[in-house]
Amino acid sequence: MAGRARRALILVENLSVPLDRRVWQECTALRQAGWEVHVICPKGAKQDTEAEVVLDGVHIHRYPLRAATGGPIGFVQEYGSALWHTFRLARRLGRFDVVHGCNPPDLFFLVALAMRRRGARFVFDQHDLVPELYLSRFGRGRDLLYRAVLLAERLTYRSAHVVIATNESYRQIALTRGGKRPDDVFVVRSAPVVERFHQVPPDESVRRGKPYLLCYLGVMGPQDGVDYALRSLARLRDEHGRTDWHAVFVGGGDTFDAMVALSRELGLGDYVEFTGRIPDEDLMRYLSTADVCLSPDPLNPLNDVSTMNKVMEYMAMSRPIVSFELREARVSAGEAALYAPANDESEFAKLIIRLLDDPDERRRMGELGRERVAGPLSWEHSKTALLAAYEAAVRPR
């Protein structure tokens, strides 16, 4: 490899780049370390729409993709289309030293195997545990499609020279279910871009005339718990007589319309606002004004062991959090959150009240969270692990 920059090809399916913040951080870290970086990903709906672009020295190649609707069969069609486009684009980009596949789906090992004959090493970046995602999202049990998903994960692990895990829980699964050697599994935690998440002056207008603002930021899918948050807010009003708050839900997803409808069914239309995806400057206004942030992900096989990006982003903005009791939520937030028993909407509502009535505790928890993302959970630590993973991948074996 002497005399030329080493080349990395990063494959992404579930988000465009640079909208996918984790992947973009990885791209820029590798570029700064001297790698030539190419990314293949889908086009975005309203941003990241160019077919080809070079940003900060990173070459991005995008393809059109229609997102799945309905049940598992829709995802089979989506993933098949994405895989075809990925093969098509990868074939014309030449030789790479590393093929870096970000799941879901657990299918990029097929691209890596095709490129292995030209010397490429495969790095598997496990963003999600897809078997647990399947169980949590569709509720179909361990059926034939579940077994197919499990097989795809097994083949991905087997093909990977190195596995990147987002936390220690995922690392343990790579070591046990995946059968990987400890030296070949690296924890690269997702971390917010501190420069992006910064305080701005609070905007009292977003409170809609109420003393307190509650905020949810994130994806709205079946497993993300927005329905739990809405039912908790209805309990806040009905069981405790608290109407001194306005709640804003920022983000989108395939249950967005259903959640808007649920808020109306619960009589929350005057209390709850759904913004969809918004520019960063608007997001900073909401988060800088928020008194309490919500992380309502219910306990299920996926959420218990997953790191929630919204929790990290709330902490970057020095906001106190109410969460359900989840293993990795405690690892991430520590004392920056209060934890209701798993899926207990009544207790979730009570913890919101506790924070609304205790400004000193809100301030203390916010400061603790900010210290965590600026220190032990910062991207600088993760970047070091990422570069170590790449060195392990290309090391002669």
Side-chain angles (χ1 to χ4, degrees), residues 320 335 338 354-355 358-367:
E335 294 183 35
L338 297 180
R354 175 175 158 185
L355 287 179
D358 193 341
D360 291 337
E361 181 70 353
R362 296 202 304 269
R363 189 178 308 109
R364 184 188 74 86
M365 291 170 61
E367 291 171 355

Side-chain angles (χ1 to χ4, degrees), residues 199-277:
Q199 294 283 340
V200 300
D203 181 354
E204 295 301 320
S205 69
V206 302
R207 298 182 189 272
R208 297 294 191 264
K210 297 298 179 72
Y212 301 111
L213 180 69
L214 311 177
C215 188
Y216 171 91
L217 164 64
V219 176
M220 299 184 192
Q223 72 277 7
D224 296 305
V226 175
D227 53 334
Y228 283 82
L230 292 171
R231 289 190 294 267
S232 296
L233 295 180
R235 289 176 179 269
L236 188 62
R237 177 198 60 194
D238 299 338
E239 296 178 3
H240 303 281
R242 296 295 292 259
T243 59
D244 54 351
W245 50 270
H246 180 69
V248 60
F249 286 77
V250 179
D254 54 3
T255 64
F256 179 90
D257 292 339
M259 293 302 99
V260 173
L262 177 60
S263 71
R264 292 170 181 160
E265 291 172 17
L266 294 170
L268 294 173
D270 294 334
Y271 298 89
V272 172
E273 173 185 357
F274 289 84
T275 69
R277 292 191 175 98

Side-chain angles (χ1 to χ4, degrees), residues 43-202:
K43 293 181 179 180
K46 296 182 179 179
Q47 62 187 90
D48 302 340
T49 56
E50 307 96 329
E52 294 198 15
V53 66
V54 179
L55 296 175
D56 296 342
V58 177
H59 303 260
I60 305 174
H61 314 268
R62 304 189 184 110
Y63 54 84
L65 184 66
R66 178 177 296 178
T69 57
I73 299 303
F75 283 90
V76 171
Q77 294 170 339
E78 175 189 327
Y79 293 158
S81 174
L83 197 61
W84 181 83
H85 282 293
T86 300
F87 268 114
R88 173 180 63 82
L89 292 169
R91 190 164 49 242
R92 66 177 177 81
L93 293 178
R95 178 185 176 277
F96 287 90
D97 300 289
V98 168
V99 174
H100 177 156
C102 306
N103 82 334
D106 290 336
L107 295 173
F108 288 133
F109 75 93
L110 296 169
V111 181
L113 288 176
M115 303 184 77
R116 182 177 288 184
R117 289 172 293 181
R118 304 181 69 180
R121 300 296 183 94
F122 180 37
V123 171
F124 173 37
D125 192 347
Q126 193 164 26
H127 292 189
D128 283 312
L129 299 173
V130 177
E132 283 77 4
L133 176 61
Y134 180 86
L135 292 174
S136 302
R137 183 182 181 96
F138 298 114
R140 295 163 56 103
R142 300 172 185 267
D143 61 0
L144 180 62
L145 274 175
Y146 171 80
R147 293 196 292 273
V149 164
L150 202 60
L151 175 62
E153 182 194 66
R154 187 178 303 121
L155 293 173
T156 299
Y157 277 135
R158 185 175 299 173
S159 304
H161 296 91
V162 162
V163 174
I164 291 175
T166 57
N167 58 39
E168 288 294 339
S169 295
Y170 277 33
R171 183 175 189 270
Q172 286 304 310
I173 290 173
L175 298 177
T176 53
R177 193 162 79 199
K180 304 306 292 184
R181 296 188 311 135
D183 290 348
D184 293 332
V185 184
F186 295 78
V187 175
V188 179
R189 294 185 64 90
S190 296
V193 181
V194 177
E195 296 79 13
R196 178 190 180 212
F197 288 90
H198 58 276
Q199 294 283 340
V200 300

Side-chain angles (χ1 to χ4, degrees), residues 196-202 284 287-289 316-319 370:
R196 178 190 180 212
F197 288 90
H198 58 276
Q199 294 283 340
V200 300
M284 294 307 104
L287 290 177
S288 295
T289 309
M317 291 297 293
S318 303
R319 300 298 95 180
R370 179 72 181 186

Side-chain angles (χ1 to χ4, degrees), residues 342-388:
N343 307 354
D344 189 328
E345 297 159 0
S346 182
E347 289 300 316
F348 197 93
K350 290 177 183 177
L351 292 182
I352 294 173
I353 294 172
R354 175 175 158 185
L355 287 179
L356 292 183
D357 291 344
D358 193 341
D360 291 337
E361 181 70 353
R362 296 202 304 269
R363 189 178 308 109
R364 184 188 74 86
M365 291 170 61
E367 291 171 355
L368 287 173
R370 179 72 181 186
E371 290 171 3
R372 287 179 66 77
V373 297
L377 302 181
S378 72
W379 175 247
E380 288 305 311
H381 291 282
S382 293
K383 182 166 67 173
T384 299
L386 171 69
L387 298 179

